[in-house]
Amino acid sequence: MKLSFRLLAVSGLVLAGSAGWGQSSRLVAYVANSGNDTVSVIDVATSTVLATVGVGDNPSGVAPHPDGSRVYVTNRGSGTVSVLDTASNAVLATVGVGEGPIGIVVHPDGTRVYVANSRLFFSNTVSVIDTASNTVTALVRVGDHPWGVAVHPAGTWVYVTYGALSSAVSVVDTTTQAVAAMVPVEFGTCEGVAVHPDGSRVYVANSRLFFSNAIAVIDVASNAVAATVPVGDYPRGVAVHPASTWVY
């Protein structure tokens, strides 16, 4: 069965469209179940569970390969990433990364995976996984307690937020695998992050309870906050509509 990437959502859920030989297209959701160390594979049309895949301890983040052949799952409790084959719904490989991995994103060309290692005070890195060998080929030093990661559509930059008191976003150069800029945002904890499909803006959820309740809008060209949008208390996740007209 050949899978093609359709949509990436936040908080441990990914949707992918599938089409087997002679079969109609199927939309499938991969959901990380952090309480029982599994990933549920759900047929969206029928709301039925097609498979339950055992992974590592406390699975949290989920990201698809652009060609839909694999799904990558961060296991926060075991410091690993599980690589799932979407045809068989089996674990192909388990990759050791840093402590407390949570945020994860795959580079648009499919060659690398970026993983935020989020254990507070003990981990301040992003692991870069080579998808051909399923090994870590680089470790990027960022701020303390990295949480969310998002990649620019052009593949040139990866944006990293922090789940502690570091009110900033790191901009990682994907050529050098080093931080090229730090963008200060409004006081608060930064968690969810998403890039506009046209590559012009980055949206960051500032989630420190009672102190910050807004979405920061970063201008990519200047690496500066261009706007701050008030929302409800303690925003954590953020996603851009595929038509690029709305941010949730």
Side-chain angles (χ1 to χ4, degrees), residues 146-202:
W147 193 273
V149 286
V151 63
H152 192 277
T156 49
W157 312 104
V158 167
Y159 298 89
V160 184
T161 64
Y162 304 108
L165 298 180
S166 302
S167 301
V169 175
S170 285
V171 184
V172 176
D173 185 324
T174 59
T175 300
T176 62
Q177 312 299 354
V179 174
M182 290 280 286
V183 183
V185 297
E186 181 182 345
F187 179 76
T189 297
C190 302
E191 292 189 7
V193 58
V195 186
H196 193 279
D198 70 8
S200 63
R201 297 177 292 280
V202 177

Side-chain angles (χ1 to χ4, degrees), residues 1-3 6 16-28 43 45:
M1 182 180 287
K2 175 72 172 179
L3 290 179
R6 288 284 299 276
S18 67
W21 296 280
Q23 299 175 353
S24 59
S25 178
R26 171 185 283 178
L27 192 63
V28 179
D43 185 318

